[in-house]
């Protein structure tokens, strides 16, 4: 924190490296209804994700994954970014990402059923911040009887389902999805585990 004042109006400035964020107080502000956001570009998104997690754990005794504040999963998005979301106690969503492609347009949704569901559910959960819609996509595809996902796809779907359930306050569904995801993870081979490493790390966070 490099600046703070309480009058004539609440104001604060925080810095990290070359990034400076400025915050002001707003009367009758409801953090849970906030739509304030910004996007921070970096060349070390993995390092920042780990640093943010460590800082949150030091401050709160755990890594918060729901409520305020909370930190989201680190993942590769369909628009050429590797990113995570961190929502602060005031409800401000800070998106931190690193380009993985020069093309920042959304890629077409995959044709395969479960890859397509993951594509849409991930965008709904982390780009539109609509966990309820993401949950509907996942629940619908997991009810299919004539098609089944690969173990890696199933793990990713279950971890995301647990994540959005937690955000929605649906404790029972979150616990059930986490238990099923843990059982699937235990059966994965080394190559499969490598392909879903981000999801395994998120699973560990959600289980904590």
């Amino acid at each position: 924190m490099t600046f703070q004042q309480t009058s004539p109006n609440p104001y604060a400035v925080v810095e990290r490296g070359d990034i400076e964020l400025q915050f002001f107080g707003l009367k009758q502000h409801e953090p849970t209804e906030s739509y304030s956001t910004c996007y921070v570009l970096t060349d070390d998104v993995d390092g920042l994700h780990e640093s943010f997690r460590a800082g949150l754990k030091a401050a709160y005794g755990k890594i918060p994954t729901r409520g305020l504040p909370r930190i989201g999963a680190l993942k590769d998005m369909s628009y050429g970014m590797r990113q995570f979301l961190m929502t602060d106690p005031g409800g401000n969503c800070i998106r931190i990402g690193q380009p993985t492609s020069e093309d920042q347009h959304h890629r077409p949704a995959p044709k395969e059923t479960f890859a397509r569901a993951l594509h849409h559910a991930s965008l709904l959960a982390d780009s539109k911040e609509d966990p309820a819609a993401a949950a509907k996509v996942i629940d619908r595809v997991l009810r299919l009887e004539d098609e089944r996902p690969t173990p890696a796809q199933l793990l990713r779907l279950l971890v995301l389902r647990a994540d959005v359930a937690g955000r929605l306050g649906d404790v029972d569904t979150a616990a059930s999805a986490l238990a099923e995801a843990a059982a699937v993870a235990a059966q994965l081979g080394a190559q499969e585990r490598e392909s879903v490493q981000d999801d395994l790390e998120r699973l560990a966070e959600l289980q904590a």
Side-chain angles (χ1 to χ4, degrees):
M1 184 179 296
T2 59
F3 180 80
Q4 184 179 19
Q5 71 177 28
T6 56
S7 64
N9 58 292
Y11 205 87
V13 180
V14 295
E15 292 182 5
R16 181 189 174 99
D18 296 331
I19 300 296
E20 176 182 280
L21 299 180
Q22 301 188 12
F23 297 89
F24 65 91
L26 184 65
K27 289 183 178 180
Q28 300 177 334
H29 172 66
E30 175 50 60
T32 59
E33 297 178 3
S34 174
Y35 52 82
S36 298
T37 188
C38 68
Y39 205 109
V40 177
L41 292 173
T42 178
D43 58 4
D44 183 23
V45 70
D46 287 75
L48 279 179
H49 186 245
E50 185 57 38
S51 180
F52 270 63
R53 294 197 317 165
L56 286 165
K57 187 171 184 178
Y60 294 94
K62 63 177 183 178
I63 300 171
T65 58
R66 58 183 181 272
L68 295 175
R70 66 179 179 270
I71 188 168
L74 179 63
K75 59 177 64 177
D76 295 314
M77 304 303 293
S78 67
Y79 40 87
M81 296 294 295
R82 181 168 173 77
Q83 70 175 33
F84 68 94
L85 278 58
M86 200 288 294
T87 305
D88 71 13
N92 302 294
C93 178
I94 302 169
R95 302 166 183 264
I96 301 177
Q98 180 173 353
T100 56
S101 169
E102 292 183 1
D103 181 4
Q104 301 299 297
H105 294 87
H106 281 283
R107 307 300 190 267
K111 300 293 186 183
E112 195 276 328
T113 301
F114 300 99
R116 187 180 183 86
L118 278 165
H119 172 92
H120 287 303
S122 183
L123 288 177
L124 287 166
D126 297 314
S127 288
K128 293 192 174 183
E129 291 199 82
D130 189 347
K136 289 180 181 179
V137 170
I138 297 169
D139 289 343
R140 183 168 58 248
V141 78
L142 288 181
R143 285 196 297 265
L144 293 177
E145 296 182 357
D146 56 341
E147 293 183 77
R148 295 304 301 165
T150 67
Q153 287 175 327
L154 180 58
L155 176 86
R156 296 186 64 197
L157 287 164
L158 289 169
V159 170
L160 184 54
R161 185 63 181 91
D163 196 338
V164 296
R167 294 188 228 174
L168 293 167
D170 186 351
V171 177
D172 292 340
T173 298
S176 175
L178 286 175
E180 192 173 349
V184 173
Q187 302 299 318
L188 295 179
Q191 189 171 356
E192 289 174 312
R193 293 183 69 85
E194 184 176 351
S195 71
V196 293
Q197 187 59 42
D198 289 341
D199 303 274
L200 290 173
E201 291 180 3
R202 187 59 171 173
L203 173 60
E205 286 181 359
L206 295 171
Q207 290 173 319

